[in-house]
Amino acid sequence: QYADFAVWQRRWLAETQEKELAYWESRLGGEIASAELPTDRPRPAIQTFRGGRCLRELPEDLTARLKRFNRAEGMTLFMALLAAMQVLLSRHSGENDVAVGVPVAGRQWVETENLIGCFLNTLVLRTDTSGQPSFRELAARVRTVTLDAYSHQSVPFEAVLARLGLRRDLSRTPLFQVL
């Protein structure tokens, strides 16, 4: 039952939260530049979450090449596409420190697979794009960042924010502007 899981999770977090929060503090502590991306209008004083979306289908030959690349590099399609997106964000923002928020299902334990309930959490994947790395080198950085973050995904995002003690700004999300 979900209630049983909640009790177990509280107990588990009481035992491991300090270590888990120390990981996130080491990854996200310090200054993270707000991605100042070019926009078509000024940023509102209070975030509205209104926006659009743009869907694109990748050509089959590109998808096949990406799959070959992923197999050779030991990574997932998500990691390769995240690396590509972080390159674009770095170029458009002028920043070499790129943080992207990623929702996770929060079902990393086999015991939770059949439970009904919301386990959703948010991870921050922060990648250093400095030094003009090749795409292969950047993808390797993203792979490491992603695997590390997923292995520490059990700490609630709100606990990470509380630990970091960030100054809140109603015009933007703390730690990342791209989800």
Side-chain angles (χ1 to χ4, degrees):
Q1 298 294 319
Y2 187 80
D4 298 327
F5 167 76
V7 169
W8 174 85
Q9 184 186 39
R10 272 192 223 106
R11 219 176 286 137
W12 181 84
L13 280 173
E15 296 169 9
T16 62
Q17 189 165 7
E18 186 56 37
K19 183 178 120 186
E20 297 293 312
L21 285 172
Y23 164 81
W24 286 109
E25 188 171 33
S26 73
R27 286 295 303 143
L28 304 174
E31 193 67 31
I32 297 180
S34 291
E36 295 298 334
L37 299 169
T39 60
D40 58 351
R41 59 183 64 92
R43 178 182 293 279
I46 297 177
Q47 198 171 15
T48 65
F49 301 102
R50 287 194 325 252
R53 66 184 198 171
C54 180
L55 301 175
R56 295 287 185 264
E57 194 169 314
L58 298 178
E60 284 185 37
D61 63 319
L62 176 59
T63 304
R65 286 184 306 190
L66 276 170
K67 287 179 180 178
R68 283 193 301 275
F69 175 82
N70 295 339
R71 273 192 300 279
E73 300 303 316
M75 62 188 343
T76 64
L77 182 59
F78 169 80
M79 292 173 187
L81 293 175
L82 176 63
M85 186 173 83
Q86 288 185 318
V87 166
L88 287 173
L89 291 172
S90 177
R91 288 188 180 161
H92 284 291
S93 69
E95 297 293 336
N96 289 323
D97 184 9
V98 180
V100 173
V102 178
V104 291
R107 293 183 184 266
Q108 68 270 32
W109 296 289
V110 174
E111 298 84 0
T112 62
E113 288 178 3
N114 295 320
L115 291 180
I116 296 172
C118 184
F119 292 75
L120 189 66
N121 197 15
T122 303
L123 302 181
V124 180
L125 304 181
R126 183 180 187 185
T127 304
D128 176 9
T129 62
S130 66
Q132 297 182 336
S134 68
F135 185 75
R136 180 170 270 113
E137 292 167 335
L138 182 66
R141 291 180 194 179
V142 168
R143 180 184 184 275
T144 299
V145 164
T146 303
L147 291 175
D148 286 351
Y150 273 78
S151 70
H152 295 278
Q153 68 177 287
S154 298
V155 175
F157 182 63
E158 295 77 22
V160 173
L161 291 178
R163 172 68 170 253
L164 295 175
L166 300 172
R167 186 181 63 81
R168 298 304 293 250
D169 178 350
L170 296 178
S171 71
R172 61 187 75 230
T173 306
L175 298 176
F176 60 86
Q177 279 75 63
V178 176
L179 180 68

